[in-house]
Amino acid sequence: MGKTGGHKVLKGSQSFRQRLLLSTLSSTPILIEDIRADETSEPGLRKHEISLLRLFETVCDDCVVKINETGTKVKYKPGTIVGGRQHSSHDCGLTRSIGYFLEPLIILGLFAKQPLTISLKGITNDFKDPSVDAFKSTALPILKRFGVPSEGLDIKVVSRGLPPNGGGEVILSLPIVQNLTAVNWIDEGFVKRIRGITFSVRVSVQFENSMIKAVRGIVNPFLSDVHIFSDHRSGPQAGNSPGFGISLVAETTTGCFISADTAVSHVSGKDTSGLADDVKKSLMPPDEVGMGIANVLIREITQCGVVDSTHQGLLFLLCALCPQDVSKVRVGKLSQHGVETLKNIRDFLNLKFIIKPDLNSQSVFLKCIGYGMKNLSRKVS
């Protein structure tokens, strides 16, 4: 890593979302080289990465994006985060779900000039990225913990969209903040209730009933306060591909929300012999899906973190952007995404976390003094 012509020089395709986000928040122009340069069949940026660049252009003024012919080199000069309540819209495409775009967009929007309302179209639920349901039930409460006001903070699912053809739409509403609030958040508490939502599109509602029954068979022996709601959609609200899925969230006595979710793109009456293994996996029966996601949730709970492994990156970014005060948090085993987030925070904000393992629970305590991010909508000169 170095500097060329005022740009921070980075290499490779990893952490693309966070590099763009932290570049924008810290007003640091970047040059990313060797993006999948060794891949002869498909070098360079993927469609979803180009779409993310376009999304940043939508919510920012005067940012400059230059991509070379092969897509293996990107020069990005951040602009002013404007946000705005004029109803913006962005097509996220079909190679990654809307959840891929939500994490950087949510943090970016908090430091905009105006509150943001934007329609995001594409895939709402898949088995790669956190679903829009997980963001609504888990990420938004995390934001509130850091002082983000409830008013104007919402994710509304207009229509569901599953792979491969999408057709979903959500409306994200974000307030703005002058600055975040440092946290001392190390007590995960005890689970007091489990909530969830199942959905089905272009398939029988019986798929949802099977998932709910399977989840209850696993969690009810431990906890009686379990409510799972159904969201069966038809017509335009059902998107363009049949399927079903489930999102669960465990709420604890100290206000933590631990989530797990998945989705299944249903292929009926088709020969699956030529499909990839991950596609075959997505054809499992709904009762197996329910049992599987219930067990994932239980594993997340036993890790003793204040957030689940999926939301570690969001948690660390929020801690880093706090005022110059101490934040303390506790997570389970560090995820790969969490580790990459810590590295990117160090590289862009020159900020390091103190990490202390808790040998009794195998959880990890992290502490940092915030960067002191303020909503000044700074512009690169």
Side-chain angles (χ1 to χ4, degrees), residues 102-367:
L102 278 175
E103 182 180 296
L105 180 60
I106 283 174
I107 296 179
L108 196 68
L110 296 177
F111 296 96
K113 278 187 173 182
Q114 300 291 331
L116 174 67
T117 298
I118 186 168
S119 165
L120 301 170
K121 299 179 180 180
I123 294 170
T124 57
N125 305 79
D126 66 6
F127 55 87
K128 292 180 183 177
D129 299 301
S131 70
V132 295
D133 305 288
F135 271 95
K136 184 168 185 175
S137 66
T138 308
L140 298 192
I142 293 173
L143 295 181
K144 295 175 187 177
R145 176 77 66 156
F146 285 84
V148 178
S150 299
E151 186 177 353
L153 180 65
D154 189 34
I155 296 175
K156 179 183 178 182
V157 182
V158 178
S159 58
R160 297 275 177 186
L162 274 70
N165 299 318
E169 179 184 3
V170 303
I171 297 176
L172 171 67
S173 300
L174 285 172
I176 56 174
V177 296
Q178 184 63 40
N179 50 258
L180 298 172
T181 303
V183 298
N184 185 0
W185 194 13
I186 58 175
D187 183 2
E188 77 278 14
F190 299 96
V191 175
K192 64 179 182 179
R193 65 171 68 100
I194 290 178
R195 295 293 181 262
I197 185 167
T198 62
F199 66 88
S200 56
V201 291
R202 305 189 183 279
V203 296
S204 169
V205 70
Q206 187 59 41
F207 284 87
E208 297 186 59
N209 298 332
S210 298
M211 285 187 289
I212 293 172
K213 184 178 179 181
V215 170
R216 285 192 169 279
I218 290 177
V219 300
N220 273 144
F222 306 103
L223 189 70
S224 60
D225 191 354
V226 179
H227 291 284
I228 303 173
F229 303 92
S230 296
D231 182 23
H232 179 69
R233 305 239 176 172
S234 58
Q237 292 188 347
N240 301 324
S241 294
F244 57 91
I246 182 169
S247 177
L248 298 177
V249 58
E251 183 182 351
T252 76
T253 52
T254 56
C256 301
F257 294 84
I258 309 297
S259 65
D261 71 307
T262 192
V264 173
S265 300
H266 189 61
V267 183
S268 59
K270 294 186 178 180
D271 178 19
T272 63
S273 59
L275 296 178
D277 288 341
D278 59 348
V279 178
K280 290 180 183 177
K281 180 182 176 183
S282 74
L283 304 180
M284 67 174 65
D287 57 340
E288 291 185 23
V289 173
M291 288 187 290
I293 208 64
N295 284 317
V296 170
L297 182 67
I298 290 171
R299 286 198 299 271
E300 289 285 359
I301 293 169
T302 57
Q303 291 205 36
C304 302
V306 297
V307 301
D308 54 72
S309 55
T310 301
H311 290 91
Q312 285 182 14
L314 176 64
L315 177 67
F316 298 158
L317 285 167
L318 291 169
C319 287
L321 296 171
C322 279
Q324 292 178 335
D325 197 358
V326 177
S327 284
K328 299 178 183 178
V329 293
R330 181 185 186 186
V331 300
K333 181 181 177 182
L334 284 171
S335 66
Q336 182 180 349
H337 180 54
V339 172
E340 289 177 357
T341 303
L342 294 172
K343 291 179 180 178
N344 291 323
I345 290 170
R346 178 200 62 195
D347 292 343
F348 278 90
L349 305 182
N350 194 28
L351 188 155
K352 294 181 180 179
F353 283 71
I354 297 172
I355 301 173
K356 182 181 178 183
D358 179 9
L359 300 179
N360 294 326
S361 66
Q362 296 185 331
S363 61
V364 183
F365 293 100
L366 296 99
K367 179 170 67 174

Side-chain angles (χ1 to χ4, degrees), residues 17-30 53 56-57 59-61 63 76-82 104 107-109 111 321 348-349 371 373 377-380:
R17 296 180 299 170
Q18 289 187 352
R19 286 173 167 179
L20 286 185
L21 173 64
L22 290 167
S23 165
T24 305
L25 292 175
S26 63
S27 300
T28 305
I30 56 174
L53 284 165
F56 271 58
E57 288 179 323
V59 298
C60 298
D61 269 351
C63 66
Y76 174 74
K77 180 182 177 184
T80 304
I81 312 167
V82 291
I107 296 179
L108 196 68
F111 296 96
L321 296 171
F348 278 90
L349 305 182
Y371 173 74
M373 182 71 189
S377 299
R378 295 191 304 274
K379 183 177 178 181
V380 176

Side-chain angles (χ1 to χ4, degrees), residues 12 32-39 43-45 67-74:
I32 308 177
E33 301 176 323
D34 298 332
I35 302 173
R36 303 185 184 91
D38 296 332
E39 297 188 19
L45 292 170
I67 306 172
N68 70 347
E69 290 184 4
T70 59
T72 56
K73 184 183 294 187
V74 176

